Amino acid sequence: MTERIQDVAHLGRIELLTPKPDRSRWYFEKLLGMEVVHSAGKSIFLRGYGDYAAATLKLTESDQPGIGFISWRTASPEALERRVKAVQKAGLGDVWHDGEFGRGSAFRFRDPDGHRMELYYEEEKYRAPDHLRSTLKNLPMKYTARGVNVRRLDHLALLARDVPDNRKFAQNVLGFALREQVMFENGKLELGSWLSPSPVHHQVAYVMDTKGAHGRLHHISLWVDNREDVLRAADILAENGIFIEAGPSKHNNSQGFYLYSYEPGGNRVEVYSGSYLVFAPDWEVVTWNEEDRGTGVYWGTPLPESFINYGTPDVAADKISAPKVPVFDPI
């Protein structure tokens, strides 16, 4: 077995683009219970009460919804240097960006599908003001009991025209471990791959874009402690007029318990719990085919068509070049 590169520590921050910044802020701050910690220009920075970093979610005003920069923290300054050289060798980036709120300088690049990413190491740890300080010394911020009160950033799913190309990039250049795959047509059609640089089951999933587009987002995911929190989130979102697209239900892939809704800007957001951690260095990739995959729902209501076809920014399907994709679940 080839030793896996372990220079990337974990998913550090996600930037979401929104055409409705005030309403999106309301959704994440008041309904999901995240804390706004900083604003700069057309962006605000938020965090879950259990995130150790100063901020893990950035909302930026934009004409269309979608994904901005996806930030990966490296394990050390030396690890950052190694991964920068690997990305440069792959010809996918050569731009350094001065640090923004809570972070040092970052190396910016694109994955093969065009999603914007960055690597960084220097991170400001969150120091809670007195009114947000927890009585637990090992908890960065107190549980405020506001809305869903999500604990932390968990993962995201990216739509890609070529799943194998992006999966190989994540494995070979960034050093991510492959956890699970969906392979149809006797292994010839790779519909989705779930990868992670950490013991978290997956911190990024690449799934086939049914519209044949590039650089789009399927969803971001925020963690809560248990299933009851996911059920409570359904009540809170429904009472506040938020469209719930799917769930609460349980995935077969990842074993995650989930609820999907659209934040007011149009991006899909998952409230997530359950799943499992992977510590084995010789983990055997789990592969699902047409027969055992089903719709991807272990139990619960079948996924709607929008779950397969909608991503941000939304685009019209290219009837000539869009791939023929069977119904499946891009968790």
Side-chain angles (χ1 to χ4, degrees):
M1 182 180 71
T2 302
E3 184 176 359
R4 182 172 71 86
I5 302 163
Q6 298 187 59
D7 284 343
V8 177
H10 62 80
L11 176 63
R13 182 180 295 172
I14 292 174
E15 180 184 22
L16 271 188
L17 308 179
T18 172
K20 298 180 179 179
D22 292 338
R23 293 289 291 168
S24 293
R25 173 174 178 161
W26 166 77
Y27 172 92
F28 285 102
E29 181 182 16
K30 302 302 182 183
L31 300 190
L32 296 194
M34 301 188 79
E35 195 70 21
V36 176
V37 292
H38 185 70
S39 62
K42 294 185 177 182
S43 299
I44 62 169
F45 297 79
L46 304 97
R47 53 171 283 103
Y49 75 93
D51 284 316
Y52 78 85
T56 54
L57 178 64
K58 179 182 179 181
L59 290 180
T60 299
E61 183 177 357
S62 180
D63 292 338
Q64 296 185 92
I67 190 74
F69 278 93
I70 303 157
S71 305
W72 302 98
R73 190 180 187 196
T74 62
S76 67
E78 294 77 15
L80 175 59
E81 290 182 13
R82 289 191 293 269
R83 288 310 95 210
V84 166
K85 289 179 181 177
V87 172
Q88 289 174 325
K89 185 177 180 180
L92 292 169
D94 197 15
V95 177
W96 281 95
H97 179 263
D98 291 338
E100 58 181 27
F101 173 73
R103 289 228 313 258
S105 61
F107 180 77
R108 292 187 164 179
F109 62 97
R110 292 179 184 266
D111 68 9
D113 201 72
H115 299 99
R116 294 178 293 177
M117 297 186 175
E118 56 186 9
L119 293 162
Y120 72 99
Y121 172 70
E122 294 180 0
E123 180 98 79
E124 178 185 334
K125 293 181 174 61
Y126 180 69
R127 306 297 182 191
D130 290 344
H131 72 286
L132 290 175
R133 192 167 297 154
S134 174
T135 54
L136 280 170
K137 294 184 69 174
N138 54 8
L139 187 62
M141 187 183 111
K142 74 178 182 181
Y143 182 90
T144 62
R146 184 177 66 237
V148 177
N149 219 164
V150 295
R151 177 183 281 267
R152 60 173 173 82
L153 178 66
D154 193 80
H155 68 266
L156 78 164
L158 301 174
L159 297 172
R161 186 175 178 84
D162 187 328
V163 173
D165 197 25
N166 287 275
R167 184 256 304 160
K168 291 174 185 176
F169 169 78
Q171 286 181 282
N172 300 333
V173 178
L174 299 182
F176 293 3
L178 179 62
R179 307 294 196 211
E180 301 194 36
Q181 290 186 295
V182 174
M183 305 286 286
F184 283 7
E185 299 179 4
N186 294 317
K188 297 177 182 178
L189 180 61
E190 185 175 338
L191 291 178
S193 287
W194 288 255
L195 307 105
S196 182
S198 74
V200 172
H201 173 270
H202 68 285
Q203 294 210 288
V204 66
Y206 280 109
V207 293
M208 186 177 289
D209 194 320
T210 61
K211 294 183 178 179
H214 294 276
R216 299 202 300 149
L217 172 71
H218 187 270
H219 72 267
I220 71 165
S221 182
L222 298 162
W223 175 268
V224 290
D225 284 335
N226 54 60
R227 294 184 182 187
E228 287 299 322
D229 289 332
V230 178
L231 296 174
R232 180 169 168 269
D235 284 337
I236 292 171
L237 296 179
E239 289 284 9
N240 285 277
I242 297 298
F243 171 64
I244 295 174
E245 182 187 33
S249 297
K250 183 175 180 177
H251 291 296
N252 50 21
N253 182 310
S254 88
Q255 304 173 32
F257 196 72
Y258 65 86
L259 176 73
Y260 292 97
S261 68
Y262 295 170
E263 58 89 14
N267 296 296
R268 183 185 285 108
V269 178
E270 180 185 31
V271 176
Y272 186 76
S273 192
S275 192
Y276 61 92
L277 302 175
V278 179
F279 296 101
D282 56 350
W283 174 258
E284 295 182 3
V285 178
V286 177
T287 302
W288 303 80
N289 60 25
E290 295 93 328
E291 182 178 349
D292 50 32
R293 174 64 172 169
T295 64
V297 176
Y298 182 52
W299 53 259
T301 305
L303 294 163
E305 185 177 346
S306 63
F307 195 78
I308 310 304
N309 295 322
Y310 179 74
T312 48
D314 196 16
V315 296
D318 183 338
K319 296 181 181 180
I320 297 176
S321 62
K324 303 293 184 182
V325 181
V327 173
F328 73 106
D329 167 18
I331 176 177

